[in-house]
Amino acid sequence: MNKHINSSLQTFSIPDGETFDGTWPFKANYSEAPGFRMHYIDEGDGQPILALHGEPTWGYLFRHLIGALSPKYRVIVPDHMGFGKSETPQERKYLLQDHIDNLEQLVLDLDLRDITLVMHDFGGPMGMGLAIRHPDRIKRIISTNGPTPLGQAGLGDALMKNGATSPWFSWIFKAFKQGTLEQVLGQLDYNMLSTLKLNGFENNNLITPTWLYAYSAHFKSPEYTLGAIGWAKGFAEGTHKFEAVNTATAEKLSKKPALAIWGMADQTLQAAHFLPLFREAFPEGRIHRLPEVGHYSLEDAPEEIAIQIEAFLEKS
């Protein structure tokens, strides 16, 4: 067993067999390769699609996409450390570079190749970090309201401008300065709905007791919120580090088939700042804009996103 795994520190919130009233009917799988028990689902056969969630969601975000794509493809959806059905080790750090390390170990453990990345929110820089480390394992790149950092010249300026007007990032910096960030995010079992709304979804019909419980279940007490706190705090402190990329690797990745599907009502990651970065990274990539769709585009428009992704997979 990996030396980082300590049974006294294994903290899980969601039982293996929890289906959230049948809305998550997928078998739980676990890898200990990252140094903790990392949950992932692995549905279907064929070319692997690796779907990466962000903050403060988990694999549940991709439930509709799993159902749509798994009849033709192998869909792998991990829960990052401190989220969903994965462990929340108390001694680990929860910065971007740590999550990239974890993802890399999972991919190597499963020996995934010809990967199609589907990335949302911080799953974007995480997936791009994996791609930079292992460009030969990546076949396609799909962003669904997820940043695609690849050493772009305008990256820093875009992040600064987005952060200045984004309600979510504005709150992070304010709460950190006031010393309330950890207290608020430490109570995600109570304030999950307000957190999701601050980040943004447009379809209020989504809000049911089952849906809300699915997103808040992991965070049943403060010790389970280290993942959510770590991601937000890393921005406030400036301690997240994008994966460094050399010119040859950036050029190699820039030629991969790439698609950005963007909810244009996203105020957390605003299209005006992030779609130009996608275009800079992938000059031949396609962009599909979704009007009146928010940051959690996979909740607001799951059917349209599945249609766009399936068409892209068939043509590339």
Side-chain angles (χ1 to χ4, degrees), residues 122 150 166 175 207 210 227 298:
F122 82 71
L150 194 62
S166 160
I207 305 171
T210 296
L298 289 138

Side-chain angles (χ1 to χ4, degrees), residues 81 89-95 98-99 102 230:
M81 182 173 64
Q90 302 296 291
E91 78 284 5
R92 294 285 294 268
K93 293 182 179 179
Y94 288 81
L95 296 175
D98 303 300
H99 288 297
N102 296 336

Side-chain angles (χ1 to χ4, degrees), residues 1-55:
M1 183 174 288
N2 190 293
K3 65 181 180 180
H4 292 293
I5 297 175
N6 183 329
S7 60
S8 67
L9 293 178
Q10 285 185 351
T11 49
F12 297 89
S13 292
I14 306 175
D16 287 0
E18 176 63 72
T19 70
F20 299 101
D21 295 330
T23 61
W24 183 255
F26 309 114
K27 177 186 174 183
N29 301 279
Y30 292 89
S31 171
E32 295 187 354
F36 67 98
R37 290 194 74 208
M38 187 174 196
H39 171 261
Y40 65 98
I41 70 95
D42 193 339
E43 297 283 320
D45 296 300
Q47 296 180 34
I49 297 169
L50 181 62
L52 306 174
H53 71 82
E55 165 93 330

Side-chain angles (χ1 to χ4, degrees), residues 34 36 38-40 50-59 61-62 76-84 86 92-107 115-135 137-138 140-150 152 155 159 226-228 230-232 235 240-245 253 269 274 282:
F36 67 98
M38 187 174 196
H39 171 261
Y40 65 98
L50 181 62
L52 306 174
H53 71 82
E55 165 93 330
T57 59
W58 59 289
L61 181 73
F62 296 105
I76 300 127
V77 183
D79 292 336
H80 308 312
M81 182 173 64
F83 295 90
S86 283
R92 294 285 294 268
K93 293 182 179 179
Y94 288 81
L95 296 175
L96 170 60
Q97 50 269 40
D98 303 300
H99 288 297
I100 296 172
D101 290 344
N102 296 336
L103 179 63
E104 178 183 35
Q105 291 307 309
L106 175 68
V107 166
I115 299 166
T116 296
L117 291 171
V118 178
M119 310 175 295
H120 180 261
D121 192 79
F122 82 71
M126 190 187 306
M128 294 304 297
L130 174 72
I132 290 166
R133 293 185 186 184
H134 299 279
R137 289 181 181 264
I138 306 301
R140 309 178 188 90
I141 294 172
I142 302 174
S143 164
T144 55
N145 290 78
T148 51
L150 194 62
Q152 298 97 320
L155 181 59
L159 292 173
L226 298 185
W231 189 250
F235 276 108
H240 291 309
K241 303 296 181 186
F242 293 130
E243 191 73 14
V245 60
L253 288 171
L269 299 172
F274 289 96
F282 305 103

Side-chain angles (χ1 to χ4, degrees), residues 136-296:
D136 292 333
R137 289 181 181 264
I138 306 301
K139 184 170 185 176
R140 309 178 188 90
I141 294 172
I142 302 174
S143 164
T144 55
N145 290 78
T148 51
L150 194 62
Q152 298 97 320
L155 181 59
D157 185 59
L159 292 173
M160 183 178 66
K161 290 179 178 178
N162 182 78
T165 56
S166 160
W168 169 246
F169 287 106
S170 296
W171 175 82
I172 286 175
F173 293 123
K174 179 180 177 181
F176 180 73
K177 185 176 180 180
Q178 294 177 340
T180 59
L181 187 147
E182 294 187 35
Q183 178 185 356
V184 174
L185 292 182
Q187 300 181 66
L188 278 173
D189 55 336
Y190 294 111
N191 58 33
M192 175 56 74
L193 181 57
S194 60
T195 300
L196 292 174
K197 284 301 288 184
L198 182 62
N199 274 288
F201 62 92
E202 300 298 302
N203 181 12
N204 290 324
N205 292 328
L206 293 166
I207 305 171
T208 66
T210 296
W211 182 85
L212 189 55
Y213 177 61
Y215 277 124
S216 61
H218 178 90
F219 306 113
K220 64 181 182 180
S221 59
E223 65 264 31
Y224 296 94
T225 63
L226 298 185
I229 291 171
W231 189 250
K233 191 174 180 181
F235 276 108
E237 294 179 330
T239 46
H240 291 309
K241 303 296 181 186
F242 293 130
E243 191 73 14
V245 60
N246 59 44
T247 301
T249 300
E251 184 176 351
K252 188 172 190 176
L253 288 171
S254 74
K255 297 175 182 178
K256 305 278 186 181
L259 169 66
I261 303 173
W262 212 272
M264 298 302 287
D266 188 345
Q267 291 301 306
T268 296
L269 299 172
Q270 297 162 20
H273 305 302
F274 289 96
L275 288 183
L277 291 175
F278 173 84
R279 178 63 71 206
E280 187 178 347
F282 305 103
E284 302 302 318
R286 287 205 313 109
I287 295 175
H288 183 78
R289 296 171 175 84
L290 298 171
E292 300 180 3
V293 169
H295 177 63
Y296 296 111

